Amino acid sequence: MLHPTDLLVIVVYVLATLGVGFWAARWAAGSLRGYFLAGNRLPWYLLGLSNAAGMFDVSGTMWLMYLLFVYGMKSVWIPWLWPVFNQVFLMMYLSAWLRRSGVMTGAEWIRFRFGDTRGARLAHLSVVGFALLSVVGFLAYSFVGIGKFAAALLPWQLSADPHHNIVIYGVAVTALTTLYVVRGGMVSAVATEIFQFGVMVVACVCVAILAARAVSPDALDRIVPSGWREPSFGWRLDLDWTTVEAANHRIVEDGWSMFGIFFMLMLFKGVLQSLAGPAPNYDMQRILATRSPREAGMMSGLVSTVLFVPRYLLVTGLTVLVLAYYSADLNTMGATVDLELILPLAIREFVPPGLFGLLVAALLAAYMGNFSAKVNAGSAYLVNDIYKRYLRPASSERTYVRASYIASLGVVVLGTMAGLFIGTLHEVVLWLVAALYGGYTAANLLKWYWWRFNAYGYLWGMVTGTAAAVLVPALLPVPSAIYAFPAILAISFVGCIAGSLLTPPDDEQVLQNFYLKVRPWGFWAPVRARLDRIHPGLSPNRDFPRDMLNVAIGIAWQTALVAIGIYTVLQDARGVAASLAIVLGASAVLKFTWYDRLQQQSTYEAVPLPSDTFHHATPSYAHRPDPAVARRQLDRALSAGGGRGLG
């Protein structure tokens, strides 16, 4: 049974979370934008903490513990599968680009980019479908994680069948979280996530201290294989586990023995997916909810700053305890033992009363924060992009908010049902990040950087990419889903290019509106040349070299933050010092190459652009302003923004 202190901590946490969620809900019920974007009133640092809490989920923590246990310091690279460094691309430029659109969802952004033609409407529906598939997939992943965690950790066995226990606990915790998420939308989600993040940070620090006191570096070295402490690698992984045979079995099963090839594929995929921008999920919702493009970039930067060190203190602390005190027991269980369960195992076996309750509460907080963010994003697509647009376009805001309650419940039910059919977390993670997002990459990469990419190109790129994501991994005999990524990408690119070149370009006015508001770099010369007739001397965006330099520095900065958390618990002073030097050096450079430029770019949103005079869904030049007046307005904005910041 649970110690009374632990039970009290968990009950107090659950009641406090529900109280905060319902208290915050009163600010969300007035309008659809208030429900899904908190009315664009929340400051960037609250949204950043909320976003970080949403990424600190139980399923992801279980997966990261598995990776660190098996792959050691080489596991700092493996989250590039998501890719985790997409936050760096967002921080440096993409969050600002996205926020300038002023839309509510990723699907609404498609109309902003492609207009309101038949092809654009079909493209819009394709991204709604992808977003819902993605959200349901991640909810299923979260459901499996919390079910396995609770069934392995809590003392009450509600069924003789272990799988039934997972389902029962998953449904129970999901239902509890649904209570406040459905009622309060983003305001409740953000308020509870900030409270939950504070609980998680305290628990992470306590676990790290416990592990560092209990396990010496020498004791750990006697258990882990040679090379486990080193982040460097060659073509082959060359980790030979003699103490835990299941780890060798999982390395073969994962298909990552040729680690050099795996790393190159992971980097290639990660860069392309990051260039494509955020997937239509909770991360995009937080960006669109910020108050300005400048705050959008700062919010994305804060996520990496506050998330990785505390999360890896927890991951490393619990992993070290299992390695030191439970490796022999795991080895006796055979090669097929489920290493994803080492998280609840470590908590149950090694965490003392009081801290046990706090840690369970923290991981419940991680699940609830992640879950609430996904539900908010999924229901936004159903209500704003289906119900409001096609079924009830003229209803009141309160009607839409009530519909949002039903949509949120529907998303929860679909995610829960999907979770019933998933075997392992590792299996669903690899399909989501390597296959499904592989099908998303080509179309969403081209939409930012190539003017000739049109609505039909987007539609066929999404259709062929999503179909390939489902079929290619099943048809190709590959050891891991990531090896199917090049084939999925190639099929999707063919759909994109063929769909674009076999159909006419999008409406010129829509393209000009998009370019004036977003100001992307890339292949936009024909659009810019036509705009130059209205605004002579309109300068292009020449920030590509600096943005890519900042991205490279930012990836090193982010990876070093991950390493700091691990090295701290491993008591590796040299590793901590080297990682901290990278973080400080990168931060000093980014102060001048990113932050100072971000200050100048704050003028973007205030620019009185002529594109504001026609609606992006039904473009028309019927009310185009006088070119001379528009030119004088633009000159003043350019001067205020540092001359070329608007290019």
Side-chain angles (χ1 to χ4, degrees):
M1 292 294 293
L2 283 176
H3 191 280
T5 303
D6 298 322
L7 187 59
L8 178 63
V9 170
I10 294 170
V11 170
V12 168
Y13 160 73
V14 170
L15 292 177
T17 297
L18 292 175
V20 171
F22 280 104
W23 171 78
R26 55 183 175 166
W27 282 284
S31 68
L32 203 59
R33 184 167 287 272
Y35 187 85
F36 289 124
L37 298 183
N40 294 105
R41 296 191 305 269
L42 295 177
W44 63 272
Y45 47 87
L46 295 184
L47 288 167
L49 289 173
S50 164
N51 209 9
M55 295 177 184
F56 199 141
D57 63 306
V58 171
S59 300
T61 303
M62 293 171 74
W63 186 62
L64 292 175
M65 277 190 66
Y66 157 72
L67 294 178
L68 181 61
F69 184 100
V70 174
Y71 297 95
M73 280 302 299
K74 295 169 184 59
S75 67
V76 300
W77 313 113
I78 300 176
W80 288 10
L81 272 169
W82 285 104
V84 69
F85 56 66
N86 78 317
Q87 289 298 317
V88 176
F89 283 77
L90 292 172
M91 169 186 175
M92 299 310 170
Y93 69 97
L94 271 173
S95 285
W97 288 10
L98 181 63
R99 180 60 184 86
R100 287 175 209 160
S101 65
V103 300
M104 191 179 299
T105 67
E108 188 177 339
W109 189 94
I110 294 298
R111 300 202 305 275
F112 167 64
R113 170 63 175 83
F114 297 114
D116 199 31
T117 62
R118 182 172 179 271
R121 289 192 290 272
L122 291 172
H124 166 258
L125 290 175
S126 75
V127 81
V128 171
F130 176 89
L132 292 175
L133 182 62
S134 171
V135 167
V136 168
F138 275 108
L139 286 176
Y141 151 82
S142 298
F143 174 83
V144 171
I146 194 63
K148 293 177 75 170
F149 171 79
L153 187 63
L154 298 180
W156 306 290
Q157 296 303 305
L158 307 175
S159 170
D161 186 332
H163 180 69
H164 289 170
N165 274 319
I166 292 173
V167 171
I168 292 169
Y169 275 116
V171 170
V173 180
T174 297
L176 184 67
T177 311
T178 302
L179 288 176
Y180 72 83
V181 176
V182 170
R183 179 69 181 88
M186 180 172 281
V187 177
S188 285
V190 169
T192 53
E193 283 164 358
I194 292 170
F195 167 68
Q196 291 157 351
F197 190 75
V199 174
M200 288 186 283
V201 169
V202 172
C204 291
V205 173
C206 291
V207 169
I209 294 171
L210 173 67
R213 288 179 173 177
V215 183
S216 69
D218 290 339
L220 187 63
D221 285 340
R222 289 193 291 270
I223 300 164
V224 298
S226 174
W228 188 89
R229 284 180 171 272
E230 302 300 324
S232 57
F233 56 88
W235 284 112
R236 298 194 63 84
L237 186 65
D238 292 331
L239 283 178
D240 185 14
W241 280 90
T242 57
T243 52
V244 183
E245 182 57 32
N248 283 331
H249 177 75
R250 289 304 298 265
I251 290 171
V252 174
E253 196 174 68
D254 290 345
W256 301 341
S257 298
M258 298 296 293
F259 202 80
I261 295 174
F262 166 69
F263 179 85
M264 289 191 294
L265 269 174
M266 188 168 55
L267 182 61
F268 170 69
K269 180 188 81 71
V271 168
L272 289 179
Q273 287 186 346
S274 298
L275 284 167
N281 57 24
Y282 63 91
D283 194 18
M284 181 180 286
Q285 291 302 105
R286 297 301 185 273
I287 294 169
L288 293 173
T290 54
R291 296 186 295 196
S292 70
R294 174 178 176 269
E295 291 202 358
M298 294 175 69
M299 187 274 291
S300 294
L302 182 64
V303 171
S304 294
T305 306
V306 301
L307 173 63
F308 292 110
V309 173
R311 188 176 196 182
Y312 275 90
L313 290 176
L314 172 66
V315 166
T316 312
L318 293 176
T319 302
V320 162
L321 289 169
V322 172
L323 282 167
Y325 296 107
Y326 215 77
S327 293
D329 297 274
L330 288 174
N331 204 35
T332 61
M333 297 178 189
T336 58
V337 62
D338 188 354
L339 294 179
E340 290 175 356
L341 291 176
I342 60 175
L343 172 61
L345 170 68
I347 297 173
R348 189 181 65 207
E349 296 292 332
F350 308 117
V351 176
L355 181 55
F356 179 96
L358 180 64
L359 194 52
V360 171
L363 289 166
L364 283 174
Y367 168 77
M368 294 169 114
N370 182 267
F371 177 89
S372 62
K374 290 166 183 167
V375 171
N376 182 261
S379 58
Y381 286 94
L382 286 173
V383 176
N384 189 63
D385 295 295
I386 300 295
Y387 183 75
K388 180 180 179 181
R389 179 164 171 76
Y390 295 107
L391 301 179
R392 299 286 296 276
S395 294
S396 68
E397 289 293 324
R398 290 193 176 276
T399 299
Y400 294 138
V401 172
R402 285 193 293 269
S404 301
Y405 300 159
I406 299 172
S408 297
L409 285 172
V411 169
V412 170
V413 171
L414 287 174
T416 301
M417 292 176 63
L420 300 177
F421 299 97
I422 290 175
T424 69
L425 293 174
H426 193 65
E427 171 189 331
V428 70
V429 165
L430 291 182
W431 182 76
L432 284 168
V433 304
L436 182 61
Y437 278 17
Y440 171 87
T441 301
N444 290 279
L445 174 69
L446 293 171
K447 74 186 182 186
W448 292 105
Y449 309 109
W450 185 33
W451 76 274
R452 185 58 179 82
F453 183 57
N454 65 11
Y456 282 104
Y458 188 91
L459 169 66
W460 287 109
M462 288 294 290
V463 169
T464 56
T466 304
V470 174
L471 296 175
V472 171
L475 297 176
L476 285 181
V478 293
S480 173
I482 192 172
Y483 295 106
F485 174 77
I488 295 170
L489 182 70
I491 292 169
S492 184
F493 260 120
V494 170
C496 290
I497 302 301
S500 295
L501 297 183
L502 294 176
T503 54
D506 284 326
D507 189 290
E508 181 178 319
Q509 297 166 7
V510 172
L511 293 172
Q512 291 178 6
N513 181 37
F514 174 81
Y515 184 81
L516 279 171
K517 279 194 171 182
V518 174
R519 290 301 171 85
W521 38 255
F523 302 97
W524 288 90
V527 174
R528 193 173 63 250
R530 289 190 288 269
L531 279 170
D532 195 51
R533 301 168 193 163
I534 305 171
H535 305 298
L538 182 67
S539 59
N541 184 335
R542 299 188 179 92
D543 293 342
F544 172 76
R546 184 177 60 249
D547 287 343
M548 290 300 100
L549 173 64
N550 287 343
V551 162
I553 296 170
I555 291 174
W557 167 77
Q558 185 193 70
T559 306
L561 285 171
V562 171
I564 285 175
I566 300 176
Y567 281 132
T568 298
V569 180
L570 296 182
Q571 302 172 64
D572 186 333
R574 182 178 297 178
V576 171
S579 301
L580 187 59
I582 292 172
V583 169
L584 294 177
S587 299
V589 174
L590 290 174
K591 161 64 171 66
F592 300 101
T593 61
W594 171 69
Y595 183 76
D596 289 349
R597 290 289 304 175
L598 200 62
Q599 297 280 62
Q600 294 175 9
Q601 291 174 4
S602 63
T603 57
Y604 280 175
E605 196 171 52
V607 177
L609 296 173
S611 56
D612 290 333
T613 62
F614 54 84
H615 192 278
H616 60 259
T618 53
S620 170
Y621 272 139
H623 304 288
R624 187 172 66 192
D626 179 75
V629 174
R631 177 59 193 167
R632 287 195 296 272
Q633 292 172 333
L634 192 65
D635 283 340
R636 287 195 295 271
L638 286 168
S639 299
R644 53 186 285 272
L646 287 166

